[in-house]
Amino acid sequence: FKRRREEASSRGGVVRLKIIEAHGLAPPSTRKKWPDAYAVVRVWANGKREELICEAKTPVLYQDACPAWNFDLRLSSMTSKSVIQVAVYDHERWRDGPSLGEATLKVGLNVRSDKPKILELPLGRSMFIKDIEKQAKEAKLKQYKTLNKIPDPQGSITLAVQRHDPLHSKCGYLTRRIQRISEIYVWKPCWGVLADARLFIYKNKEACSLGEEPVEILDLKDVSAVSYINKDATGKPLDPQLECIEIVLYGVTQYHFQCSEGYQARRQWLRMLRRCSPQIHNNEFVCEETTHAFYEKATARLQAAVHDATPFTGGARSPSCGERDPGRGSPGRDHAGGSYRRASNVGLRKQDPSAP
């Protein structure tokens, strides 16, 4: 449980953000009745303007005051202090268009969200001081031009936000093996995002932040084995640079990945992949860096030991609920008043009440 709490509070949360639509946008100027609107999503770490985590842009919808983008985006490396800024702009061909308003949202990672939450936020001015000063300067310079006067923000924007369970989601750098010619393999770096029982592979972190399509998607419902390969077919240890994580789909297709962020991150990836695969038994008491055959064998042995455990009545006299059995520590209690003790990590065994 301590390890799960550390995983839940660690950096690297995954948040799914969908920009659905906007309502009642103001016209950009008196010369233009309907805006050519698009939205820009920016994620700031700790709510400060200096550190930008990602930035993505929706397509432009022309001549529409109520644009429906339905733009889906997965935001990785989110923390409890990250701030999501969604700004709406008017598109102009030769220069940056005026701002039609923006909305800010702070997603707390301490609150779980199993289903997407639909939020309708009003559009207003920027929350950052630099943007406020810039907008005031632009308004002052263009005050004498009534045709190009910056409009006051109006309307609202609708978002769908979902925070994935930190115990079943993860993101980080990976290196995947690509087969080029026959038996020639090339290792290529990528960015992996584990969410919704699927593994999304992107070219890099920037591609994920910009909302680009992933290079490959692995559905963990079809995964039949997850192994850590550190030995060859003859049983000899492999070179540390060749050790990798092997994912088997449908019992045939194999994918190989390496984790360059250290052994702790590698063990987390193995644990998460097995935990999110329905075809693999989940067992937190077996070492992660093992093959699938050893993992299943150890899991079956532990389950059999737990099911075969038999409580004993304590013989002539069993310790009462408040007493302590001398020489044997503090045994557990069953419903019949007897006691049993844990022998080792392989299960429970029957104890002799007369034994020391």
Side-chain angles (χ1 to χ4, degrees), residues 318-324 331 333 337:
S318 60
S320 61
C321 184
E323 289 182 343
R324 176 172 178 175
R333 306 289 299 179

Side-chain angles (χ1 to χ4, degrees), residues 1-10 112 165-168 271-272 275 282-284:
F1 296 103
K2 181 179 179 181
R3 182 171 59 188
R4 288 202 169 194
R5 287 196 300 267
E6 291 176 355
E7 291 177 6
S9 61
S10 62
R112 293 190 177 183
D165 186 3
L167 296 177
H168 296 83
R271 196 181 310 121
M272 291 286 185
R275 188 184 298 167
N282 185 20
N283 192 345
E284 303 288 344

